[in-house]
């Protein structure tokens, strides 16, 4: 399977609102956040088995952002989304 079909930003609509669904994967993360270049943040929901995602209204698939993963050890890492 192609991970690009599931992970990363995807144009979506929910209840008539356009936006994006962002999904990220890290098997050891307890939580995942999206950090947009404009300073906004969004928490992704745990979908199970290391997969996180959320619909973010009024965002575009070409928005610049980084992902922040938080772990049980208290450590966090940030990285760009490769998808």
């Amino acid at each position: 399977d192609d991970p690009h079909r599931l992970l990363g930003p995807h144009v979506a609509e929910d209840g008539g609102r356009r936006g994006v669904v962002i999904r990220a994967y890290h098997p050891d993360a307890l939580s995942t956040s999206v950090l947009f270049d404009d300073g906004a943040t969004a928490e992704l929901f745990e979908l199970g088995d290391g997969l996180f995602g959320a619909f973010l209204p009024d965002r575009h698939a070409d928005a610049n952002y980084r992902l922040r993963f938080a772990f049980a050890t208290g450590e966090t890492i940030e990285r760009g989304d490769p998808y």
Side-chain angles (χ1 to χ4, degrees):
D1 285 333
D2 179 11
H4 293 274
R5 293 179 57 138
L6 178 66
L7 300 174
H10 298 274
V11 175
E13 191 172 310
D14 184 30
R17 287 188 81 178
R18 292 186 55 84
V20 296
V21 169
I22 295 179
R23 292 185 203 95
Y25 175 78
H26 197 299
D28 299 320
L30 293 181
S31 65
T32 303
S33 303
V34 178
L35 312 172
F36 291 98
D37 283 359
D38 66 6
T41 62
E43 196 72 25
L44 299 184
F45 299 100
E46 184 177 2
L47 303 175
D49 296 325
L51 184 64
F52 297 84
F55 173 72
L56 305 174
D58 305 320
R59 289 289 174 173
H60 302 279
D62 62 353
N64 292 318
Y65 66 90
R66 295 180 59 73
L67 298 168
R68 178 185 294 150
F69 298 97
F71 302 93
T73 62
E75 179 186 13
T76 62
I77 60 168
E78 291 182 18
R79 69 170 194 214
D81 190 342
Y83 299 99

